Amino acid sequence: MSGVRELSGHPAPVKAVVFDVGRVLFEWDLRYLFAKLIADPAELEWFCTTVVTPEWHFQHDEGVPLSVMVPARKVEYPGHAHLIDAYAARFGESIPGPVPGSIEIVDELAARGVPLFAITNFGAEFWPDFRAREPVFRHFHDVVVSGDEKLAKPDPAIYHLAERRFGVPREAMLFIDDNAANIASAARLGWQVHHFTGGAERLAADLRSRGLIG
């Protein structure tokens, strides 16, 4: 990706590492929840691409409350009201567990004293319970949550907010995300970046090349 600085020719030492959460630290897919509730594969695919979709869910990441989103969607799809309610009540089941190897990387960075932060597109009403049940977040000095701030990646404003909150110059932070648009936005602002496309093994190689892990 043009303009994205990673793996070689690092412009400055990294003083802090900033993680995305979904699909970098933890697996996430709405199908993990709805496969438990919809037996037919074709119906499951239709539901997750038409009714409760990532694009619709993203409204909550941007700060729209469930009390607005859910009733409106039930009006649009009254025959699926019980499944739309399940989205709100059982969202945690769409996050089945860690991305293999990622938590171990966080643990090693923390053990080496590397300051850790996160910027996550995550709904304000879902975040507190999720964070409380995942001990890895004890390593993080601060987490910027889009639903709380009503700003979401790749909006440059969320990166400006994170820089102010974290207190580290952007050029000294390494931002890790699976989404190409989020990575491109951060890179344009002068952050160092790692596009999380090769799993934890490729990330570990990048961090090793920067002298952040052994």
Side-chain angles (χ1 to χ4, degrees):
M1 184 186 302
S2 177
V4 173
R5 295 172 292 183
E6 57 178 313
L7 290 176
S8 62
H10 308 315
V14 170
K15 296 183 179 178
V17 177
V18 183
F19 284 88
D20 176 33
V21 174
R23 296 177 177 158
V24 173
L25 295 179
F26 290 89
E27 305 281 7
W28 176 73
D29 196 316
L30 291 164
R31 290 171 180 79
Y32 289 125
L33 166 59
F34 290 108
K36 301 175 183 179
L37 305 174
I38 302 171
D40 180 69
E43 183 183 353
L44 173 65
E45 185 64 19
W46 176 85
F47 182 83
C48 290
T49 56
T50 307
V51 183
V52 175
T53 66
E55 293 76 19
W56 176 75
H57 159 77
F58 187 62
Q59 296 177 66
H60 191 44
D61 288 350
E62 292 180 304
V64 179
L66 295 175
S67 61
V68 172
M69 288 175 55
V70 170
R73 205 60 161 178
K74 288 162 70 174
V75 169
E76 291 183 79
Y77 298 96
H80 296 83
H82 65 296
L83 293 172
I84 298 167
D85 281 336
Y87 160 81
R90 300 173 59 178
F91 178 79
E93 294 174 56
S94 69
I95 309 171
V99 171
S102 288
I103 303 304
E104 291 80 2
I105 288 174
V106 172
D107 288 341
E108 182 170 354
L109 288 167
R112 289 172 172 263
V114 178
L116 299 176
F117 302 93
I119 307 171
T120 181
N121 284 353
F122 213 111
E125 293 170 72
F126 295 143
W127 175 252
D129 286 345
F130 175 70
R131 178 169 186 165
R133 76 174 193 238
E134 298 299 343
V136 70
F137 292 112
R138 72 186 185 278
H139 294 313
F140 286 76
H141 295 221
D142 193 5
V143 179
V144 170
V145 178
S146 65
D148 288 334
E149 306 302 334
K150 295 181 173 55
L151 293 171
K153 297 174 293 184
D155 186 342
I158 199 169
Y159 300 99
H160 292 308
L161 171 65
E163 184 182 5
R164 294 193 299 271
R165 285 253 298 262
F166 301 164
V168 181
R170 66 189 73 176
E171 64 273 11
M173 290 190 282
L174 174 65
F175 175 61
I176 302 159
D177 200 296
D178 67 298
N179 183 292
N182 298 344
I183 283 291
S185 184
R188 282 193 295 268
L189 294 172
W191 294 57
Q192 299 187 55
V193 296
H194 175 95
H195 191 193
F196 191 82
T197 57
E201 184 175 347
R202 181 170 174 269
L203 173 58
D206 188 359
L207 296 172
R208 204 170 290 117
S209 76
R210 298 170 187 267
L212 294 170
I213 64 173

